[in-house]
Amino acid sequence: MGTDRFTGPLAAALAPALRRTTLADALRAADHALPVAPATDRSVWEPRTGVVHPTAGAVVARARADLGTPWPQPLASTAARLHRDGDRDTHEQLVFARQHRLSRAVLAAATTLEDRWVDEAADGIWQLCEQSSWCWPAHDDTRAVHGAVLPTVTDPYLDLGAGEAVGQLAWADHVLGALLDERYPGLRGRVRHEARTRVIEPFLRRRDWHWLGLDGRVHNWNPWIHGNVLVAALRLLDGPDDATTRLRTVELCVEGIDRYVASLPDDGAIDEGYGYWWNGACRALEALDLLRHATGGALDALAPGVVPPALRETVAFPHRMHLGGDWYLSVADAQARPTDVHPWHALHRAARAVGDADAAAYAVSRLASGPGAAAAPAAQAEAGLGRLLRGLTDTAWRDALAAGATAPLPRTAWWASTQVLLVRPEAGTPAGLTLAVKGGHNGEAHNHNDVGSVVVASDGVPVIVDAGRPTYTAQTFGPDRYDLWTMQSSWHSVPQVAGVAQGAGHEFAARDVELVGPADDATGLALDLAGTYPHEGLRSWRRTARLERVGDVARAVVDDAWDLDTPDDGGTTVRFLLAGDVDLDTARAVVRPLDGAPPVELHWPAEVPASLIRRELDDPMLSGVWGARLTRLDLDVTGRTALRVVVSMADPTPKETP
């Protein structure tokens, strides 16, 4: 199964099954390869109870508003903006809006069988086939290779956008195939032609795609694209002469995903952060679940006793990063309050497969109740057509939602591979102060220069925060990435040493990282930050951040001690990035957090000068999370060698200076 060139954890997990059968023998025919019934199977698509599934009802209602309105139209001018002013988002949003509308139309056609919805879906399918390129302009190599600012149709580039488009077409073809054959004969043939030309043939012909990870650099594009190519191969390569191509494509997809799984640490951590788990590890889990179905259960890499440790542990990553409510620990480009629609059913399905009851309960809790539950159904089309269809037809997921669950919120979560610790006073509740500390290095995927940063949440709402990312532009992943303020250590809760910020790259890493307490019950993290600063005179900067109890109340304590053997001409500051309304007093700052969470106080020695720098937010990716502004607290420690900052729930009674 392609393992002659690469042997990874999936190859090992599937080896016993492949001794009993071959992939060629195990693969189901195209009509039965995807785990969703076609629209003609009314036992699935026509509710026997007479009650329409709430997600289906909400999506179809949104589709009704689409009818008769112009379809979103990506243009040459919007595509070329990437090269003119760096704007990639305008074009991408038009592409996304068109595909979201197609997903809604497909669902409406499947649930109603009405001609108007089949027409609407056919219009969307046809437009996608007519679209010059499925590649998002920011990924296309047409400028470098051909000197063009628009796609070169004779040289298609296989990226995330092309993967999403071909996956969507495959799911639409699978669900509506008979209806399209009756009303639009020939359209399905066009879909197959475009899929082969734009995706399958380039995938097989070129093995220099950077996202394959053949150079050892594996990231979330790998399972995201491989998973979509797998869907397309299983469903659309159904011609009389396609068997060999279909088998080879599936083999290469599994081999590629194996390479991704091999890159995951055994503790399941994702250095790109919580938001990227859904389009990285989750994509791998979904692809392997699809492989299980497509082989009639013969190849099941997620079965207990077989599943690789990294995949088993990564199922727990989302709920371990959960602060409370809609809030999550933000690292790298991930958002503290995600705006994307997540396929909670996919996590639940993976949790069922590997036997993780906490992860399953967490997935249910996010839609059965909670701040985002009411708005979730209508937005599910934005998660992608395949994810929408799977969530609607997974009866075990529907039953679990009806039963309900609560978020587990473990007391301690520690990932040794990324050196990230999260600790709260008690398991099962966000009440009080939660502390997170990050070590690692500054060459991570979607990296921010943030080694040693701390996050503190009040009742689950971040108060000392990581800003996350702004809207992506051409600059975001270019040579000037660290000109963006959100990427700089200067705007993270870390020191600025003699006017010097942290450097970017793997070599700028934490040293001597130690847990405070045992790994399964840690209260804090200690680490040396000196190696992250390009400053020869900094011998050491030891930071210890811990959560400690004072009676029945927990407080967070950040201790810094350093050895700087050169004149501190640039000034040294210890900084904390704060969200909410901030008032500064002598040796104290009071923060009234977002969402009405309990106020928090920061205390430091009275002789340390303090100032506030307010950062107005005009980017919706940031203001949508934090509101109008963030505030940086700067503590001037020039000439000192140590500092203690204590974070506690606000108390009207006076406190002693630490």
Side-chain angles (χ1 to χ4, degrees):
M1 194 178 63
T3 57
D4 55 318
R5 294 184 297 163
F6 182 80
T7 301
L10 288 186
L14 297 174
L18 289 171
R19 285 194 289 267
R20 296 189 296 269
T21 186
T22 66
L23 179 61
D25 290 337
L27 278 179
R28 287 176 160 175
D31 287 349
H32 304 285
L34 301 188
V36 171
T40 51
D41 185 347
R42 301 317 289 168
S43 66
V44 172
W45 289 103
E46 194 167 78
R48 285 162 287 182
T49 61
V51 178
V52 177
H53 190 287
T55 294
V59 173
V60 173
R62 176 67 182 83
R64 290 194 190 98
D66 295 332
L67 278 179
T69 65
W71 281 76
Q73 185 64 49
L75 301 170
S77 57
T78 60
R81 285 194 65 177
L82 173 79
H83 305 288
R84 291 174 177 164
D85 60 15
D87 180 355
R88 57 179 283 181
D89 191 62
T90 298
H91 185 84
E92 288 177 6
Q93 291 304 321
L94 290 168
V95 170
F96 300 159
R98 173 185 277 182
Q99 291 185 241
H100 296 160
R101 178 167 174 173
L102 173 56
S103 292
R104 293 190 290 268
V106 171
L107 180 61
T111 54
T112 68
L113 299 184
E114 294 178 9
D115 288 346
R116 60 174 177 162
W117 294 118
V118 179
D119 291 346
E120 175 85 349
D123 283 344
I125 292 169
W126 182 254
Q127 288 185 77
L128 204 49
C129 289
E130 289 285 294
Q131 191 171 300
S132 293
S133 174
W134 295 338
C135 174
W136 301 337
H139 301 157
D140 204 337
D141 63 359
T142 185
R143 186 69 178 270
V145 176
H146 303 286
V149 298
L150 298 176
T152 303
V153 297
T154 55
D155 188 16
Y157 194 89
L158 179 49
D159 77 323
L160 299 176
E164 281 292 280
V166 80
Q168 182 178 37
L169 289 174
W171 283 108
D173 178 274
H174 176 72
V175 173
L176 301 183
L179 304 178
L180 294 173
D181 280 341
E182 179 180 351
R183 195 162 176 83
Y184 290 92
L187 181 56
R188 297 179 72 195
R190 174 69 185 278
V191 167
R192 282 154 178 75
H193 168 76
E194 299 298 341
R196 288 187 181 91
T197 302
R198 302 177 189 227
V199 173
I200 300 299
E201 291 175 2
F203 176 69
L204 295 175
R205 182 178 68 252
R206 287 183 56 177
R207 305 309 294 161
D208 62 343
W209 302 109
H210 70 85
W211 46 265
L212 294 177
L214 293 171
D215 60 356
R217 298 175 59 191
V218 188
H219 50 82
N220 72 308
W221 283 36
N222 175 301
W224 193 346
I225 297 175
H226 278 117
N228 275 313
V229 174
L230 179 63
V231 171
L234 289 172
R235 187 63 192 89
L236 300 179
L237 294 178
D238 56 358
D241 300 323
D242 284 338
T244 300
T245 302
R246 184 177 190 244
L247 177 62
R248 183 58 181 154
T249 305
V250 172
E251 285 179 339
L252 285 175
C253 287
V254 177
E255 178 189 299
I257 294 169
D258 199 356
R259 196 172 295 109
Y260 174 80
V261 176
S263 76
L264 291 178
D266 281 348
D267 59 16
I270 304 297
D271 63 357
E272 296 165 301
Y274 166 85
Y276 287 86
W277 183 91
W278 296 95
N279 283 322
C282 187
R283 295 282 183 173
L285 293 165
E286 289 174 282
L288 294 175
D289 180 66
L290 177 60
L291 181 67
R292 178 200 59 78
H293 176 87
T295 59
L299 301 184
D300 186 359
L302 300 181
V306 173
V307 59
L311 282 180
R312 183 185 65 245
E313 292 301 315
T314 203
V315 171
F317 182 78
H319 78 259
R320 290 175 179 167
M321 293 287 280
H322 187 200
L323 293 174
D326 284 343
W327 294 98
Y328 294 84
L329 175 58
S330 171
V331 297
D333 274 352
Q335 294 175 285
R337 181 153 58 183
T339 55
D340 292 338
V341 178
H342 296 321
W344 300 104
H345 57 86
L347 172 58
H348 190 263
R349 198 157 43 248
R352 298 195 315 256
V354 305
D356 190 329
D358 280 349
Y362 161 76
V364 170
S365 75
R366 304 315 300 143
L367 281 190
S369 61
Q380 285 301 303
E382 297 176 14
L385 180 56
R387 287 175 159 180
L388 172 65
L389 298 173
R390 292 231 63 192
L392 283 171
T393 56
D394 185 339
T395 56
W397 167 241
R398 190 182 306 183
D399 292 344
L401 282 178
T406 57
L409 295 170
R411 200 193 78 80
T412 300
W414 164 243
W415 294 273
S417 64
T418 53
Q419 300 173 349
V420 172
L421 172 72
L422 185 151
V423 57
R424 54 174 52 89
E426 295 181 33
T429 174
L433 293 182
T434 296
L435 169 70
V437 194
K438 181 186 180 300
H441 59 80
N442 284 335
E444 297 166 337
H446 289 260
N447 179 71
H448 291 199
N449 292 338
D450 60 358
V451 176
S453 63
V454 296
V455 168
V456 175
S458 170
D459 283 8
V461 178
V463 179
I464 300 176
V465 309
D466 183 305
R469 72 169 180 90
T471 299
Y472 284 159
T473 67
Q475 182 182 359
T476 310
F477 299 105
D480 299 326
R481 176 178 176 86
Y482 294 99
D483 289 345
L484 298 169
W485 68 269
T486 55
M487 314 302 180
Q488 303 166 6
S489 69
S490 302
W491 287 93
H492 286 80
S493 297
V494 298
Q496 186 99 338
V497 181
V500 177
Q502 291 184 6
H506 288 78
E507 67 273 23
F508 296 99
R511 303 169 180 167
D512 303 325
V513 179
E514 299 177 330
L515 287 172
V516 179
D520 60 350
D521 195 31
T523 59
L525 193 68
L527 64 168
D528 188 345
L529 307 182
T532 66
Y533 293 89
H535 190 294
E536 293 181 359
L538 182 61
R539 292 176 175 172
S540 67
W541 190 295
R542 191 70 176 171
R543 165 163 284 191
T544 302
R546 66 189 185 277
L547 196 68
E548 62 179 31
R549 284 189 176 278
V550 180
D552 294 332
V553 180
R555 67 179 191 174
V557 180
V558 181
D559 280 312
D560 288 306
W562 58 94
D563 183 358
L564 184 63
D565 70 354
T566 57
D568 192 355
D569 296 333
T572 295
T573 55
V574 173
R575 296 172 169 178
F576 295 94
L577 189 62
L578 308 174
D581 295 324
V582 184
D583 292 322
L584 182 62
D585 200 351
T586 302
R588 182 180 76 153
V590 178
V591 186
R592 291 180 295 281
L594 305 174
D595 293 356
V600 166
E601 296 181 348
L602 289 81
H603 287 260
W604 55 88
E607 67 272 17
V608 174
S611 60
L612 299 178
I613 308 296
R614 289 184 169 83
R615 186 93 199 194
E616 302 299 322
L617 305 177
D618 57 3
D619 186 314
M621 287 295 293
L622 295 168
S623 61
V625 176
W626 304 115
R629 70 185 57 84
L630 289 169
T631 303
R632 194 180 74 194
L633 170 66
D634 286 6
L635 303 177
D636 186 349
V637 294
T638 304
R640 295 176 65 93
T641 59
L643 177 74
R644 166 173 286 194
V645 175
V646 176
V647 186
S648 60
M649 306 300 281
D651 189 334
T653 60
K655 287 184 169 60
E656 295 183 4
T657 301

Short mmCIF file of all heavy atoms in Angstrom, two decimals, residues 199-242:
data_model
loop_
_atom_site.label_atom_id
_atom_site.label_comp_id
_atom_site.label_asym_id
_atom_site.label_seq_id
_atom_site.Cartn_x
_atom_site.Cartn_y
_atom_site.Cartn_z
N VAL A 199 -6.87 17.91 -10.40
CA VAL A 199 -6.45 17.35 -9.12
C VAL A 199 -5.77 15.99 -9.26
O VAL A 199 -4.62 15.82 -8.87
CB VAL A 199 -7.66 17.25 -8.16
CG1 VAL A 199 -7.28 16.50 -6.88
CG2 VAL A 199 -8.18 18.64 -7.82
N ILE A 200 -6.48 15.01 -9.80
CA ILE A 200 -5.94 13.64 -9.79
C ILE A 200 -4.65 13.54 -10.60
O ILE A 200 -3.64 13.01 -10.11
CB ILE A 200 -6.99 12.65 -10.32
CG1 ILE A 200 -8.27 12.69 -9.45
CG2 ILE A 200 -6.40 11.24 -10.35
CD1 ILE A 200 -8.07 12.31 -8.01
N GLU A 201 -4.66 14.05 -11.82
CA GLU A 201 -3.45 13.93 -12.65
C GLU A 201 -2.27 14.71 -12.07
O GLU A 201 -1.16 14.17 -12.00
CB GLU A 201 -3.76 14.35 -14.09
CG GLU A 201 -4.68 13.37 -14.81
CD GLU A 201 -5.09 13.85 -16.20
OE1 GLU A 201 -4.61 14.95 -16.60
OE2 GLU A 201 -5.88 13.16 -16.86
N PRO A 202 -2.46 15.97 -11.64
CA PRO A 202 -1.33 16.66 -11.00
C PRO A 202 -0.85 15.96 -9.73
O PRO A 202 0.35 15.92 -9.46
CB PRO A 202 -1.88 18.05 -10.69
CG PRO A 202 -3.01 18.24 -11.66
CD PRO A 202 -3.60 16.88 -11.85
N PHE A 203 -1.77 15.41 -8.97
CA PHE A 203 -1.40 14.70 -7.74
C PHE A 203 -0.52 13.51 -8.04
O PHE A 203 0.49 13.27 -7.35
CB PHE A 203 -2.68 14.26 -7.02
CG PHE A 203 -2.43 13.43 -5.78
CD1 PHE A 203 -1.88 14.00 -4.65
CD2 PHE A 203 -2.77 12.08 -5.76
CE1 PHE A 203 -1.66 13.23 -3.51
CE2 PHE A 203 -2.56 11.31 -4.63
CZ PHE A 203 -2.00 11.89 -3.50
N LEU A 204 -0.86 12.76 -9.07
CA LEU A 204 -0.08 11.56 -9.42
C LEU A 204 1.20 11.91 -10.17
O LEU A 204 2.23 11.25 -10.01
CB LEU A 204 -0.93 10.63 -10.28
CG LEU A 204 -2.16 10.02 -9.60
CD1 LEU A 204 -2.96 9.20 -10.61
CD2 LEU A 204 -1.76 9.15 -8.42
N ARG A 205 1.15 12.96 -10.98
CA ARG A 205 2.29 13.29 -11.84
C ARG A 205 3.41 13.98 -11.07
O ARG A 205 4.59 13.69 -11.26
CB ARG A 205 1.82 14.19 -12.98
CG ARG A 205 2.93 14.56 -13.98
CD ARG A 205 2.41 15.42 -15.12
NE ARG A 205 2.02 16.77 -14.68
CZ ARG A 205 0.78 17.21 -14.59
NH1 ARG A 205 -0.23 16.42 -14.88
NH2 ARG A 205 0.53 18.45 -14.19
N ARG A 206 3.04 14.91 -10.22
CA ARG A 206 4.03 15.69 -9.49
C ARG A 206 4.16 15.18 -8.06
O ARG A 206 3.16 15.06 -7.35
CB ARG A 206 3.64 17.17 -9.45
CG ARG A 206 3.81 17.90 -10.76
CD ARG A 206 3.46 19.37 -10.61
NE ARG A 206 4.24 20.03 -9.57
CZ ARG A 206 4.16 21.34 -9.29
NH1 ARG A 206 3.32 22.12 -9.99
NH2 ARG A 206 4.88 21.88 -8.32
N ARG A 207 5.37 14.90 -7.64
CA ARG A 207 5.58 14.51 -6.25
C ARG A 207 6.49 15.52 -5.55
O ARG A 207 7.17 15.20 -4.57
CB ARG A 207 6.19 13.10 -6.17
CG ARG A 207 5.40 12.03 -6.90
CD ARG A 207 3.92 12.00 -6.53
NE ARG A 207 3.69 11.61 -5.15
CZ ARG A 207 2.55 11.85 -4.49
NH1 ARG A 207 1.58 12.52 -5.09
NH2 ARG A 207 2.40 11.45 -3.26
N ASP A 208 6.45 16.76 -6.06
CA ASP A 208 7.24 17.81 -5.42
C ASP A 208 6.35 18.81 -4.68
O ASP A 208 6.81 19.88 -4.29
CB ASP A 208 8.09 18.55 -6.46
CG ASP A 208 7.26 19.24 -7.53
OD1 ASP A 208 6.06 18.90 -7.67
OD2 ASP A 208 7.81 20.11 -8.23
N TRP A 209 5.08 18.46 -4.50
CA TRP A 209 4.20 19.34 -3.73
C TRP A 209 4.78 19.49 -2.33
O TRP A 209 5.06 18.49 -1.65
CB TRP A 209 2.79 18.77 -3.65
CG TRP A 209 2.14 18.54 -4.98
CD1 TRP A 209 1.88 17.33 -5.55
CD2 TRP A 209 1.68 19.53 -5.90
NE1 TRP A 209 1.28 17.51 -6.77
CE2 TRP A 209 1.14 18.85 -7.02
CE3 TRP A 209 1.67 20.92 -5.89
CZ2 TRP A 209 0.60 19.52 -8.11
CZ3 TRP A 209 1.12 21.60 -6.98
CH2 TRP A 209 0.60 20.90 -8.07
N HIS A 210 4.94 20.71 -1.87
CA HIS A 210 5.60 20.92 -0.57
C HIS A 210 4.82 20.29 0.57
O HIS A 210 5.39 19.84 1.56
CB HIS A 210 5.79 22.43 -0.31
CG HIS A 210 4.51 23.17 -0.03
ND1 HIS A 210 3.93 23.24 1.20
CD2 HIS A 210 3.70 23.88 -0.87
CE1 HIS A 210 2.82 23.96 1.14
NE2 HIS A 210 2.66 24.36 -0.11
N TRP A 211 3.49 20.20 0.43
CA TRP A 211 2.67 19.70 1.52
C TRP A 211 2.72 18.17 1.66
O TRP A 211 2.19 17.62 2.62
CB TRP A 211 1.23 20.15 1.34
CG TRP A 211 0.69 19.99 -0.06
CD1 TRP A 211 0.67 20.94 -1.04
CD2 TRP A 211 0.09 18.82 -0.63
NE1 TRP A 211 0.10 20.44 -2.19
CE2 TRP A 211 -0.26 19.15 -1.96
CE3 TRP A 211 -0.18 17.54 -0.15
CZ2 TRP A 211 -0.87 18.22 -2.81
CZ3 TRP A 211 -0.78 16.62 -0.99
CH2 TRP A 211 -1.12 16.97 -2.30
N LEU A 212 3.38 17.50 0.73
CA LEU A 212 3.56 16.05 0.88
C LEU A 212 4.46 15.73 2.08
O LEU A 212 4.36 14.64 2.65
CB LEU A 212 4.17 15.45 -0.39
CG LEU A 212 3.32 15.50 -1.66
CD1 LEU A 212 4.11 14.93 -2.83
CD2 LEU A 212 2.02 14.72 -1.47
N GLY A 213 5.35 16.64 2.41
CA GLY A 213 6.23 16.42 3.55
C GLY A 213 7.41 15.53 3.24
O GLY A 213 8.04 15.00 4.16
N LEU A 214 7.73 15.35 1.97
CA LEU A 214 8.84 14.47 1.61
C LEU A 214 10.19 15.04 2.06
O LEU A 214 11.17 14.30 2.16
CB LEU A 214 8.86 14.24 0.10
CG LEU A 214 7.66 13.43 -0.43
CD1 LEU A 214 7.64 13.45 -1.96
CD2 LEU A 214 7.70 12.00 0.08
N ASP A 215 10.22 16.35 2.35
CA ASP A 215 11.46 16.96 2.83
C ASP A 215 11.53 16.96 4.36
O ASP A 215 12.44 17.55 4.94
CB ASP A 215 11.60 18.39 2.31
CG ASP A 215 10.44 19.29 2.76
OD1 ASP A 215 9.50 18.79 3.41
OD2 ASP A 215 10.47 20.50 2.45
N GLY A 216 10.56 16.31 5.00
CA GLY A 216 10.53 16.25 6.45
C GLY A 216 9.72 17.35 7.11
O GLY A 216 9.48 17.30 8.32
N ARG A 217 9.28 18.34 6.34
CA ARG A 217 8.46 19.43 6.89
C ARG A 217 6.99 19.13 6.60
O ARG A 217 6.52 19.32 5.49
CB ARG A 217 8.88 20.76 6.28
CG ARG A 217 10.32 21.16 6.56
CD ARG A 217 10.70 22.42 5.82
NE ARG A 217 9.84 23.54 6.20
CZ ARG A 217 9.81 24.70 5.55
NH1 ARG A 217 10.56 24.88 4.47
NH2 ARG A 217 9.01 25.68 5.95
N VAL A 218 6.31 18.64 7.61
CA VAL A 218 4.92 18.22 7.45
C VAL A 218 4.03 19.17 8.24
O VAL A 218 4.31 19.48 9.40
CB VAL A 218 4.73 16.77 7.94
CG1 VAL A 218 3.33 16.28 7.60
CG2 VAL A 218 5.78 15.86 7.34
N HIS A 219 2.95 19.63 7.62
CA HIS A 219 2.04 20.55 8.30
C HIS A 219 0.60 20.20 7.93
O HIS A 219 0.33 19.18 7.28
CB HIS A 219 2.38 22.00 7.98
CG HIS A 219 2.52 22.29 6.51
ND1 HIS A 219 1.44 22.52 5.70
CD2 HIS A 219 3.63 22.37 5.72
CE1 HIS A 219 1.86 22.75 4.46
NE2 HIS A 219 3.18 22.67 4.45
N ASN A 220 -0.33 21.06 8.33
CA ASN A 220 -1.74 20.69 8.24
C ASN A 220 -2.28 20.60 6.82
O ASN A 220 -3.34 20.01 6.59
CB ASN A 220 -2.60 21.67 9.05
CG ASN A 220 -2.72 23.04 8.40
OD1 ASN A 220 -1.73 23.66 8.04
ND2 ASN A 220 -3.94 23.52 8.24
N TRP A 221 -1.57 21.16 5.83
CA TRP A 221 -2.01 20.98 4.45
C TRP A 221 -2.04 19.50 4.07
O TRP A 221 -2.85 19.08 3.24
CB TRP A 221 -1.06 21.70 3.51
CG TRP A 221 -1.20 23.18 3.41
CD1 TRP A 221 -1.53 24.05 4.42
CD2 TRP A 221 -1.02 23.97 2.24
NE1 TRP A 221 -1.54 25.33 3.94
CE2 TRP A 221 -1.23 25.32 2.61
CE3 TRP A 221 -0.69 23.68 0.92
CZ2 TRP A 221 -1.13 26.37 1.70
CZ3 TRP A 221 -0.57 24.73 0.01
CH2 TRP A 221 -0.80 26.05 0.39
N ASN A 222 -1.14 18.73 4.64
CA ASN A 222 -1.00 17.33 4.25
C ASN A 222 -2.30 16.55 4.41
O ASN A 222 -2.84 16.03 3.42
CB ASN A 222 0.15 16.71 5.05
CG ASN A 222 0.32 15.22 4.81
OD1 ASN A 222 -0.58 14.44 5.04
ND2 ASN A 222 1.50 14.83 4.38
N PRO A 223 -2.86 16.43 5.62
CA PRO A 223 -4.10 15.65 5.73
C PRO A 223 -5.30 16.36 5.12
O PRO A 223 -6.25 15.70 4.67
CB PRO A 223 -4.27 15.47 7.24
CG PRO A 223 -3.55 16.63 7.83
CD PRO A 223 -2.38 16.89 6.93
N TRP A 224 -5.27 17.68 5.09
CA TRP A 224 -6.40 18.43 4.54
C TRP A 224 -6.53 18.13 3.04
O TRP A 224 -7.63 17.81 2.55
CB TRP A 224 -6.16 19.91 4.78
CG TRP A 224 -7.35 20.81 4.55
CD1 TRP A 224 -8.51 20.50 3.91
CD2 TRP A 224 -7.47 22.17 4.97
NE1 TRP A 224 -9.35 21.60 3.89
CE2 TRP A 224 -8.74 22.63 4.54
CE3 TRP A 224 -6.64 23.04 5.65
CZ2 TRP A 224 -9.18 23.94 4.78
CZ3 TRP A 224 -7.08 24.35 5.90
CH2 TRP A 224 -8.33 24.78 5.47
N ILE A 225 -5.44 18.21 2.31
CA ILE A 225 -5.51 17.94 0.87
C ILE A 225 -5.65 16.45 0.60
O ILE A 225 -6.49 16.03 -0.22
CB ILE A 225 -4.27 18.51 0.16
CG1 ILE A 225 -4.23 20.04 0.30
CG2 ILE A 225 -4.28 18.14 -1.33
CD1 ILE A 225 -3.00 20.70 -0.26
N HIS A 226 -4.85 15.63 1.27
CA HIS A 226 -4.95 14.19 1.04
C HIS A 226 -6.36 13.66 1.33
O HIS A 226 -6.87 12.79 0.62
CB HIS A 226 -3.94 13.44 1.92
CG HIS A 226 -2.56 13.40 1.37
ND1 HIS A 226 -1.48 13.97 1.99
CD2 HIS A 226 -2.06 12.84 0.22
CE1 HIS A 226 -0.39 13.77 1.27
NE2 HIS A 226 -0.71 13.09 0.20
N GLY A 227 -6.99 14.20 2.38
CA GLY A 227 -8.35 13.75 2.70
C GLY A 227 -9.33 14.07 1.60
O GLY A 227 -10.20 13.25 1.26
N ASN A 228 -9.22 15.26 1.01
CA ASN A 228 -10.12 15.63 -0.08
C ASN A 228 -9.83 14.85 -1.36
O ASN A 228 -10.75 14.45 -2.09
CB ASN A 228 -10.03 17.13 -0.35
CG ASN A 228 -10.92 17.94 0.57
OD1 ASN A 228 -12.10 17.62 0.75
ND2 ASN A 228 -10.38 18.99 1.17
N VAL A 229 -8.55 14.62 -1.65
CA VAL A 229 -8.20 13.82 -2.82
C VAL A 229 -8.72 12.39 -2.65
O VAL A 229 -9.19 11.76 -3.61
CB VAL A 229 -6.68 13.83 -3.06
CG1 VAL A 229 -6.30 12.87 -4.20
CG2 VAL A 229 -6.21 15.24 -3.40
N LEU A 230 -8.65 11.89 -1.43
CA LEU A 230 -9.18 10.55 -1.15
C LEU A 230 -10.67 10.47 -1.46
O LEU A 230 -11.14 9.51 -2.11
CB LEU A 230 -8.92 10.20 0.31
CG LEU A 230 -9.42 8.84 0.79
CD1 LEU A 230 -8.72 7.70 0.05
CD2 LEU A 230 -9.21 8.70 2.31
N VAL A 231 -11.44 11.46 -1.03
CA VAL A 231 -12.88 11.50 -1.32
C VAL A 231 -13.10 11.49 -2.83
O VAL A 231 -13.94 10.73 -3.35
CB VAL A 231 -13.52 12.75 -0.69
CG1 VAL A 231 -14.96 12.92 -1.18
CG2 VAL A 231 -13.50 12.66 0.82
N ALA A 232 -12.36 12.32 -3.55
CA ALA A 232 -12.53 12.42 -5.00
C ALA A 232 -12.18 11.11 -5.69
O ALA A 232 -12.89 10.67 -6.61
CB ALA A 232 -11.67 13.55 -5.55
N ALA A 233 -11.10 10.48 -5.26
CA ALA A 233 -10.69 9.22 -5.89
C ALA A 233 -11.71 8.13 -5.66
O ALA A 233 -12.07 7.37 -6.58
CB ALA A 233 -9.32 8.80 -5.36
N LEU A 234 -12.21 8.05 -4.43
CA LEU A 234 -13.16 6.98 -4.11
C LEU A 234 -14.46 7.13 -4.89
O LEU A 234 -15.05 6.13 -5.32
CB LEU A 234 -13.46 6.99 -2.60
CG LEU A 234 -12.32 6.53 -1.69
CD1 LEU A 234 -12.68 6.78 -0.23
CD2 LEU A 234 -12.02 5.04 -1.92
N ARG A 235 -14.92 8.37 -5.12
CA ARG A 235 -16.23 8.55 -5.73
C ARG A 235 -16.17 8.83 -7.23
O ARG A 235 -17.00 8.31 -8.00
CB ARG A 235 -16.99 9.72 -5.07
CG ARG A 235 -18.43 9.84 -5.56
CD ARG A 235 -19.19 8.58 -5.19
NE ARG A 235 -20.49 8.44 -5.84
CZ ARG A 235 -20.69 7.85 -7.02
NH1 ARG A 235 -19.66 7.41 -7.75
NH2 ARG A 235 -21.91 7.70 -7.50
N LEU A 236 -15.21 9.63 -7.66
CA LEU A 236 -15.23 10.11 -9.04
C LEU A 236 -14.43 9.24 -10.00
O LEU A 236 -14.65 9.31 -11.22
CB LEU A 236 -14.73 11.56 -9.10
CG LEU A 236 -15.54 12.57 -8.27
CD1 LEU A 236 -14.93 13.95 -8.39
CD2 LEU A 236 -17.01 12.58 -8.71
N LEU A 237 -13.53 8.43 -9.51
CA LEU A 237 -12.78 7.51 -10.39
C LEU A 237 -13.56 6.20 -10.48
O LEU A 237 -13.19 5.17 -9.91
CB LEU A 237 -11.37 7.29 -9.85
CG LEU A 237 -10.46 8.52 -9.87
CD1 LEU A 237 -9.10 8.19 -9.26
CD2 LEU A 237 -10.30 9.07 -11.29
N ASP A 238 -14.67 6.27 -11.20
CA ASP A 238 -15.59 5.13 -11.26
C ASP A 238 -15.80 4.61 -12.68
O ASP A 238 -16.72 3.83 -12.94
CB ASP A 238 -16.94 5.53 -10.66
CG ASP A 238 -17.57 6.75 -11.33
OD1 ASP A 238 -16.94 7.33 -12.24
OD2 ASP A 238 -18.69 7.13 -10.93
N GLY A 239 -14.95 5.04 -13.62
CA GLY A 239 -15.07 4.57 -15.00
C GLY A 239 -14.50 3.17 -15.18
O GLY A 239 -13.79 2.64 -14.30
N PRO A 240 -14.80 2.55 -16.29
CA PRO A 240 -14.34 1.17 -16.53
C PRO A 240 -12.83 1.03 -16.57
O PRO A 240 -12.30 -0.06 -16.32
CB PRO A 240 -14.97 0.82 -17.89
CG PRO A 240 -15.30 2.13 -18.52
CD PRO A 240 -15.62 3.05 -17.41
N ASP A 241 -12.11 2.10 -16.86
CA ASP A 241 -10.65 2.03 -16.94
C ASP A 241 -9.96 2.73 -15.76
O ASP A 241 -8.75 2.98 -15.82
CB ASP A 241 -10.16 2.68 -18.25
CG ASP A 241 -10.73 1.98 -19.47
OD1 ASP A 241 -10.87 0.75 -19.43
OD2 ASP A 241 -11.04 2.69 -20.45
N ASP A 242 -10.72 3.01 -14.71
CA ASP A 242 -10.18 3.82 -13.61
C ASP A 242 -9.63 3.01 -12.45
O ASP A 242 -9.08 3.59 -11.50
CB ASP A 242 -11.26 4.76 -13.06
CG ASP A 242 -11.52 5.94 -13.97
OD1 ASP A 242 -10.64 6.27 -14.78
OD2 ASP A 242 -12.61 6.54 -13.87
#
